[in-house]
Amino acid sequence: MNQRAKKGKVYIIGAGPGDAGLITLKAIDCLRLADVVIYDNLVNEELLKYAPAHARFIYAGKKGGDHTLSQDKINALLFQEALDGNTVARLKGGDPFVFGRGGEEAEILALNDVPFEIIPGVTSAIAVPAYAGIPLTHRGLTSTVAFITGHEDPTKDKSDIDWQALVGIGTLVFLMGVKNIGQITAALISHGKSSETPAAVIRRGTTPRQEVIIGTLATIVEQVQANNFQPPAILVVGKVVELRETLCWYDTKPLFGRGVVITRPERQADDLALLLAAQGASPISFPTISIVPPKDWSELDSALDQLESYHWLIFTSANGVHFFFERLRQRGRDVRDLKGIKICCIGPATARQIQDRGIKVDLVPREFIAEGILNSFSSLDLSGKKILLPRAAVARDILPEGLKKQGAAVDVAATYQTINSGRKKEELMKLIDAGEVDIITFTSSSTVTNFVEIMGAEYVLPSSLQIACIGPVTAATAKKAGFPVDISREEYTMEGLVQSLINNVQEKASRMCEEKK
Ligand code: SAH
């Protein structure tokens, strides 16, 4: 059969305003099909993870007037990539048809018979005010709203903007307006808008770096200059701005704006990142360790060969569970081989891994550390019982030793190992120097020791940074490495760690109130 060449297609996709969660399901579906992703400056780069592993990424830029690729070049690139048979995801900030030049890009494709689809996005024009607690319409306040480009210089001879008409509209939303804000407010006032009209400028909206200035048409220019507000920002003019006082919800979150470094391995960072983001923090993934199979499977293999002889299986981490079952599968076996063996997990996250595999967990200790397991077992008669402990290649001896003292026969099997992630210290130092890091979290001793290895023993963290540790063992390792541990959580759960960060912020805030009294 005659093999026809694959025909390319371009998806012009709205990526949403900044918060990665504001992308649409359809946009994600299209990104998953992409051979090449061409993305703009305002696109949250976190979204690139949805593209398949083979995808190429092309940054098209556009920061203010500074275009990495000119619009003509972008148009030509879209056309060429599609002609080459590629599926192209053209990822644009907000909505592609709202001041996004998506229409021009689609026109070129239409004229050249290149198949394309438009995936609308959540535009910053609506979402950014919403995250500042400003609804663009509100019963009794306004029933009209206009979106305006502030890019045009209103003093130019012939304006495309009908300033007179704008004065009669309830809510005005200016995009790309920071540079011209002086001319915009002057034009509105000179055409009859009251200088007392409330106005808001919102910068980097929907992100943990969101900043909001509230004033009036008369005052806002000076406020914006005093705060040295740079793009991207949105100007909202109208009575609805006053609703922020009641509806402010995002920038009042307990960890709002805090940059929190996660040193856990990439695969396990997501849970903590989601919990942090839900509290308004900006999670920064900087894994210091990677979890990989052990150098040698022989310990686990010989345990698997006599699996039915064990009475208990004890898992001390989610990694142990993952690699145990991976090896079991590789050896042509599955959960049916665990019949009759009781299972103990060190804490709820590890237990979830077992339960997700359709298996009941028999024991979770009250304290989620090795000592907690020993306490739980102390009331059981372990004499003559065989226990398998699939765990990290290097780990503390306290658990196997303790169980042996209680009469059990214990086999320890190296099931995974922790290695240095190989990340570069410059990556993190850049963020620290830019003032974007407030808290560094350590969730195991190995995250601490590998952090020190990556940053170099001579590197001194700025004293403004806080160190947060989960569990007493990790805290002890951090102290030994010379870190002042500001926040430490006895209970080993991610939820608990996030709660400790919140408590710390609230304690500090109330201390400051006390001092002011
Ligand atoms: N198509 C985009 C707009 C592109 S024009 C959309 O629908 O959102 C670029 C302008 O959008 C910026 O100058 C700024 O005014 C606004 N903008 C985009 N993202 C923003 C954000 N996170 N915070 C504030 N303004 C934003």
Side-chain angles (χ1 to χ4, degrees):
M1 203 173 72
N2 193 2
Q3 192 81 30
R4 274 185 54 198
K6 182 182 150 201
K7 197 163 189 194
K9 180 165 186 170
V10 180
Y11 293 99
I12 300 184
I13 304 172
D19 181 340
L22 292 177
I23 192 161
T24 65
L25 293 175
K26 184 154 186 186
I28 294 174
D29 285 345
C30 295
L31 273 170
R32 291 203 169 116
L33 300 174
D35 299 309
V36 50
V37 182
I38 304 174
Y39 65 102
D40 283 349
N41 170 50
L42 283 176
V43 168
N44 184 338
E45 291 193 14
E46 209 183 294
L47 298 173
L48 302 180
K49 71 178 177 203
Y50 293 117
H54 76 269
R56 282 178 291 126
F57 298 100
I58 301 175
Y59 175 65
K62 281 198 195 169
K63 214 181 224 166
D66 159 32
H67 292 210
T68 304
L69 289 183
S70 68
Q71 190 62 47
D72 283 346
K73 283 217 175 97
I74 294 172
N75 296 347
L77 187 64
L78 290 176
F79 176 58
Q80 191 54 53
E81 290 285 357
L83 214 63
D84 291 346
N86 290 318
T87 299
V88 183
R90 170 69 178 121
L91 202 53
K92 300 173 77 72
D95 178 87
F97 279 4
V98 177
F99 300 126
R101 304 189 72 168
E104 290 166 54
E105 293 174 10
E107 251 174 349
I108 302 283
L109 300 172
L111 289 174
N112 288 287
D113 278 334
V114 174
F116 68 89
E117 286 188 32
I118 311 294
I119 320 298
V122 175
T123 177
S124 63
I126 294 171
V128 168
Y131 269 53
I134 301 172
L136 296 185
T137 67
H138 196 73
R139 247 162 78 105
L141 287 185
T142 171
S143 44
T144 52
V145 54
F147 302 120
I148 309 122
T149 168
H151 202 50
E152 186 187 90
D153 178 356
T155 58
K156 81 177 185 191
D157 288 348
K158 199 184 155 305
S159 171
D160 290 329
I161 297 171
D162 182 348
W163 293 95
Q164 197 59 55
L166 287 186
V167 170
I169 288 173
T171 307
L172 304 175
V173 183
F174 289 88
L175 284 82
M176 301 177 279
V178 197
K179 230 175 71 202
N180 291 332
I181 189 163
Q183 289 95 314
I184 292 169
T185 51
L188 288 173
I189 293 169
S190 75
H191 284 85
K193 195 99 180 157
S194 161
S195 60
E196 294 305 309
T197 313
V201 178
I202 308 140
R203 181 171 184 241
R204 297 197 287 196
T206 80
T207 78
R209 303 281 164 211
Q210 171 172 304
E211 292 171 83
V212 183
I213 295 180
I214 304 291
T216 64
L217 270 187
T219 64
I220 198 85
V221 177
E222 218 169 279
Q223 290 168 284
V224 162
Q225 281 162 358
N227 286 283
N228 189 26
F229 252 36
Q230 301 294 324
I234 276 179
L235 165 68
V236 187
V237 179
K239 270 198 96 51
V240 287
V241 167
E242 285 170 350
L243 288 166
R244 171 171 162 85
E245 216 174 297
T246 322
L247 301 184
C248 178
W249 64 275
Y250 179 60
D251 31 21
T252 49
K253 286 187 176 228
L255 297 179
F256 175 75
R258 305 288 198 295
V260 184
V261 172
I262 303 174
T263 51
R264 316 190 80 195
E266 204 118 57
R267 207 162 50 84
Q268 285 157 9
D270 284 359
D271 287 4
L272 183 54
L274 280 176
L275 290 170
L276 287 167
Q279 301 298 336
S282 171
I284 300 164
S285 175
F286 185 72
T288 58
I289 56 173
S290 298
I291 307 292
V292 295
K295 275 201 198 93
D296 176 4
W297 283 112
S298 61
E299 282 174 0
L300 186 62
D301 284 351
S302 67
L304 292 180
D305 287 344
Q306 42 163 327
L307 204 47
E308 60 292 341
S309 69
Y310 292 103
H311 300 91
W312 278 95
L313 247 175
I314 302 181
F315 290 103
T316 50
S317 77
N319 293 317
V321 177
H322 172 79
F323 284 99
F324 176 87
F325 282 95
E326 195 51 33
R327 191 62 182 167
L328 194 64
R329 190 187 58 77
Q330 282 170 13
R331 310 258 301 174
R333 303 170 68 185
D334 62 26
V335 290
R336 289 169 293 186
D337 293 295
L338 298 181
K339 185 165 164 44
I341 307 174
K342 283 202 151 74
I343 294 184
C344 165
C345 291
I346 196 161
T350 309
R352 223 164 16 237
Q353 291 286 324
I354 291 290
Q355 286 150 354
D356 284 352
R357 288 167 167 84
I359 305 166
K360 195 177 105 230
V361 174
D362 299 284
L363 180 70
V364 177
R366 222 176 301 155
E367 275 181 292
F368 309 145
I369 50 175
E371 289 81 348
I373 296 181
L374 289 176
N375 278 340
S376 299
F377 273 97
S378 63
S379 58
L380 305 175
D381 179 14
L382 290 185
S383 54
K385 298 282 190 264
K386 255 185 96 177
I387 298 178
L388 176 59
L389 210 55
R391 59 174 198 168
V394 178
R396 294 192 304 154
D397 283 334
I398 177 161
L399 187 54
E401 292 307 321
L403 291 168
K404 278 181 203 159
K405 269 198 203 123
Q406 292 181 26
V410 183
D411 284 341
V412 172
T415 303
Y416 64 92
Q417 56 172 329
T418 300
I419 58 168
N420 189 304
S421 67
R423 291 289 278 255
K424 298 274 163 286
K425 70 173 177 189
E426 289 75 20
E427 279 176 59
L428 186 61
M429 274 161 74
K430 211 166 87 189
L431 295 173
I432 292 177
D433 292 345
E436 295 196 3
V437 177
D438 300 288
I439 302 167
I440 297 180
T441 60
F442 292 116
T443 44
S444 68
S445 288
S446 53
T447 60
V448 179
T449 47
N450 285 283
F451 181 87
V452 174
E453 213 175 288
I454 290 172
M455 301 307 282
E458 70 291 345
Y459 179 74
V460 181
L461 286 174
S463 58
S464 57
L465 290 194
Q466 289 192 301
I467 303 290
C469 290
I470 207 172
V473 180
T474 307
T477 309
K479 280 181 193 153
K480 217 170 119 199
F483 295 128
V485 176
D486 306 284
I487 303 158
S488 127
R489 180 81 180 185
E490 293 294 308
E491 179 200 336
Y492 194 99
T493 65
M494 296 304 137
E495 289 82 358
L497 180 65
V498 173
Q499 190 54 50
S500 295
L501 300 187
I502 294 172
N503 296 349
N504 182 269
V505 166
Q506 286 167 347
E507 272 164 31
K508 270 211 312 214
S510 72
R511 259 203 315 273
M512 274 166 72
C513 288
E514 294 283 309
E515 280 163 19
K516 277 191 189 146
K517 270 182 196 160

